[in-house]
Amino acid sequence: MTDEAAQYHYVWDGSEEGWVVLRTKVALGTIFNTRERVALVIEDNAVYAQVIQLMRVHGRPFLDTIPD
């Protein structure tokens, strides 16, 4: 894991609740917080891909829609 990806640890380690990945057809997914109703934008594509992978490895939910 790179230092750049490590700064986003809260999206996969449970220290902040509500982080999921919304599946999309045009990218790896959107990192989204279901409690705060906000998306996280990571501009570096390599870091973004690594964070998505870490979320998958740590069992974060991958959803097709935003939950109510």
Side-chain angles (χ1 to χ4, degrees):
M1 170 185 353
T2 64
D3 288 341
E4 292 87 4
Q7 71 180 328
Y8 298 104
H9 65 90
Y10 58 90
V11 302
W12 69 78
D13 72 3
S15 60
E16 281 189 22
E17 293 183 38
W19 289 103
V20 301
V21 175
L22 297 175
R23 292 184 187 102
T24 64
K25 294 182 183 192
V26 295
L28 299 174
T30 299
I31 301 168
F32 187 79
N33 187 292
T34 59
R35 297 188 80 177
E36 301 296 324
R37 314 287 288 172
V38 297
L40 174 65
V41 176
I42 300 174
E43 293 184 4
D44 183 304
N45 287 337
V47 174
Y48 159 70
Q50 191 172 26
V51 170
I52 293 283
Q53 179 59 26
L54 286 163
M55 291 180 78
R56 184 180 309 282
V57 166
H58 286 90
R60 299 307 308 158
F62 280 63
L63 307 175
D64 294 322
T65 60
I66 297 173
D68 293 331

